[in-house]
Amino acid sequence: MHKGIWGASAATALMLASPVARAAGPDGAQLVAWWGLPFAGLLLSIALGPLLAPAFWHHHFGKIAAFWGAAFLVPFAAAFGVGAAWYGAVHAVVAEYIPFVVLLTALFTTAGGICVHGNLRGGPWLNTGLLTLGTILASIMGTTGAAMLLIRPLIRANDNRKHNVHVVVFFIFLVANAGGSLTPLGDPPLFLGFLQGVDFFWTTAHIWPETLFICVTLLLLFFLIDAYHFRQKGERLIEELDPTPHAAPLRLEGKRNFVLLAAAVGLVLMSGLWKPGVTFDVFGTHVELQNIARDVGLIVVTLISLAITPRTAREGNGFNWEPMKEVAKLFAGIFLTIIPVVAILRAGEAGALGWVVRLVTGANGAPDNDMYFWATGLLSSFLDNAPTYLVFFNTAGGDAATLMTSGAATLAAISAGAVFMGANTYIGNAPNFMVKAIAEQRGIRMPSFFGYMLWSGSILLPLFVLTTLIFF
């Protein structure tokens, strides 16, 4: 879900890796599963609201998210005290939500300032090429950075085609998720593993076969589907219907934002590598100096982008703040209501969801790598995959040196599940939701929450079954 440069904040990974952070907050062993109801209610609202009452949802989704946040905080304060509820809310906002919004805003702003002018013609070869480029970039600049950079050019290239929903859906599968599986910069669970001692290029060396298999299969399948719509359904590009004049030459505007994108990536990496040992206490939440420096730097990056980007570049992209507002409001509720669910998971076998942890251990006590892949993945489809990764990383022993050698198959299963299955739902990764919002603003009728799950269920789940049989 909320995944920093990838779609979640690096602060989430850093705080979860911190013994102080693990000691603070609600004790998951004391919480019953019912505490997850507000989170489930918010997920159902996101799923059903746009489907059953689209006009009401569009005008009031922020209030609905606030309602579910209060539905957790008020009973929690009554049961455990106002202090505990205050700490939980402050920690979620200061350590996780603010860094998340700051980073996502920086990436959204800088990528939104890079405009490809001219006549891109969205046929099967061009579309597949753009998806391939985005898939490669996702492990370099993160899934969010790559998605925000390429989604608008891809939409504009297909703006005269009747059937283009599949283009955006596969973009989410590949660029917003699977492509970020090869380095710690790609997705937050891998960054968290890096902080726990996993070598920077370990995932590159150990899950590239799975990544190659999934990405190549999806690209081939996309090409076949796109070619079918393009040729068999009479969707060859018709010049008169193309909003972009044929004579318009290709040119790139707002190129200075590439430097700002690189600066954003560098700031996130800095926050994971630089350890000055300086910590500030914000109402009981420990915030480290490197995280403050990162967030301030990202705000500066955002302001510079707004100042130096030509107005015509943003106009060419149809840039506005509505997708960012939607993500910010909904994820505020998600960050609050997810607190008890993550706490229960982190309690391991002592928690109300202990059966999930027990699933990954075979009868002989050996790790069941198939179940590690699926348990990590399915939980990561609906929860923050950073703590989910950490739960199963520790369940598998928690020692990076051992997991990288004798436990390599288990670590690979955990890593692959956490990254790949973020594509299963719109909320599995923040760029999923942002891509959906941008596409809908540009007039594409994206599938509903459950409609999207029909796509992922029919395409991704069989592919993940094959991945399990072949690799795990």
Side-chain angles (χ1 to χ4, degrees):
M1 207 170 36
H2 35 286
K3 299 170 184 172
I5 152 184
W6 327 267
S9 72
T12 302
L14 289 166
M15 292 301 292
L16 286 167
S18 165
V20 174
R22 288 197 296 268
D27 181 1
Q30 298 179 7
L31 301 178
V32 297
W34 295 111
W35 284 106
L37 283 179
F39 177 66
L42 179 54
L43 294 192
L44 284 175
S45 298
I46 294 172
L48 299 177
L51 191 64
L52 301 179
F56 180 84
W57 173 259
H58 177 73
H59 289 96
H60 301 289
F61 62 81
K63 301 182 186 70
I64 294 170
F67 165 79
W68 287 114
F72 159 67
L73 283 176
V74 174
F76 190 81
F80 297 98
V82 174
W86 170 252
Y87 170 81
V90 169
H91 180 82
V93 170
V94 173
E96 300 180 354
Y97 180 71
I98 290 176
F100 164 76
V101 169
V102 166
L103 179 52
L104 217 57
T105 301
L107 294 170
F108 180 76
T109 305
T110 52
I114 301 170
C115 181
V116 180
H117 293 285
N119 192 32
L120 288 173
R121 305 182 59 138
W125 288 105
L126 176 70
N127 288 339
T128 304
L130 286 175
L131 290 185
T132 302
L133 175 62
T135 301
I136 294 170
L137 289 177
S139 281
I140 300 171
M141 63 171 57
T143 52
T144 298
M148 293 302 97
L149 178 65
L150 291 175
I151 183 56
R152 292 180 181 88
L154 184 68
I155 290 174
R156 287 175 54 233
N158 293 273
D159 55 8
N160 65 319
R161 293 185 58 178
K162 182 178 179 181
H163 297 91
N164 51 16
V165 170
H166 66 284
V167 179
V168 182
V169 169
F170 274 85
F171 184 89
I172 293 174
F173 291 170
L174 286 157
V175 182
N177 290 278
S181 61
L182 295 181
T183 75
L185 294 176
D187 222 34
L190 306 185
F191 189 72
L192 181 53
F194 174 62
L195 297 179
Q196 295 291 310
V198 178
D199 292 343
F200 189 90
F201 290 108
W202 188 91
T203 51
T204 310
H206 286 81
I207 66 173
W208 71 263
E210 295 93 324
T211 302
L212 186 66
F213 172 73
I214 286 175
C215 292
V216 169
T217 302
L218 286 175
L219 286 168
L220 288 173
L221 184 58
F222 168 78
F223 181 84
L224 294 174
I225 293 174
D226 200 44
Y228 170 76
H229 285 297
F230 189 70
R231 296 187 176 92
Q232 301 301 321
K233 292 200 170 186
E235 282 201 12
R236 289 186 177 278
L237 292 173
I238 303 173
E239 197 67 35
E240 301 82 52
L241 300 180
D242 194 342
T244 309
H246 176 68
L250 287 177
R251 63 185 179 90
L252 198 62
E253 190 176 17
K255 293 187 288 290
R256 286 174 286 186
N257 281 287
F258 281 114
V259 177
L260 297 177
L261 273 174
V265 173
L267 285 166
V268 172
L269 189 58
M270 174 276 297
S271 69
L273 298 176
W274 180 44
K275 306 286 186 180
V278 179
T279 303
F280 300 91
D281 189 297
V282 181
F283 298 107
T285 294
H286 296 272
V287 183
E288 295 171 300
L289 176 61
Q290 63 267 30
N291 295 337
I292 296 175
R294 178 201 60 227
D295 294 343
V296 171
L298 289 170
I299 292 172
V300 172
V301 165
T302 302
L303 295 176
I304 292 175
S305 177
L306 291 172
I308 69 173
T309 302
R311 179 174 54 85
T312 51
R314 296 202 186 277
E315 289 178 349
N317 279 331
F319 180 91
N320 61 61
W321 294 104
E322 291 306 313
M324 191 65 233
K325 290 179 182 177
E326 184 173 359
V327 169
K329 290 178 180 180
L330 291 178
F331 275 83
I334 288 172
F335 270 96
L336 289 176
T337 57
I338 201 175
I339 291 172
V341 181
V342 173
I344 291 171
L345 276 175
R346 285 166 55 189
E349 294 195 44
L353 297 175
W355 59 272
V356 176
V357 178
R358 289 189 290 271
L359 276 177
V360 300
T361 304
N364 60 353
D368 186 334
N369 295 327
D370 292 356
M371 291 308 301
Y372 266 108
F373 175 66
W374 283 94
T376 305
L378 291 178
L379 286 175
S380 294
S381 301
F382 297 94
L383 305 177
D384 187 334
N385 66 352
T388 302
Y389 174 96
L390 186 63
V391 165
F392 291 107
F393 184 91
N394 288 323
T395 301
D399 180 67
T402 302
L403 286 172
M404 286 191 295
T405 52
S406 60
T410 302
L411 182 57
I414 295 170
S415 303
V419 177
F420 294 152
M421 294 202 195
N424 284 342
T425 71
Y426 277 137
I427 63 166
N429 204 353
N432 302 1
F433 213 95
M434 295 190 75
V435 167
K436 171 182 178 291
I438 291 171
E440 288 176 336
Q441 279 206 326
R442 302 299 291 266
I444 298 176
R445 298 185 64 181
M446 291 296 292
S448 66
F449 187 90
F450 292 117
Y452 175 83
M453 288 183 68
L454 285 177
W455 277 89
S456 64
S458 60
I459 295 173
L460 293 181
L461 291 185
L463 185 56
F464 294 149
V465 170
L466 283 176
T467 303
T468 305
L469 296 173
I470 296 171
F471 298 103
F472 302 122

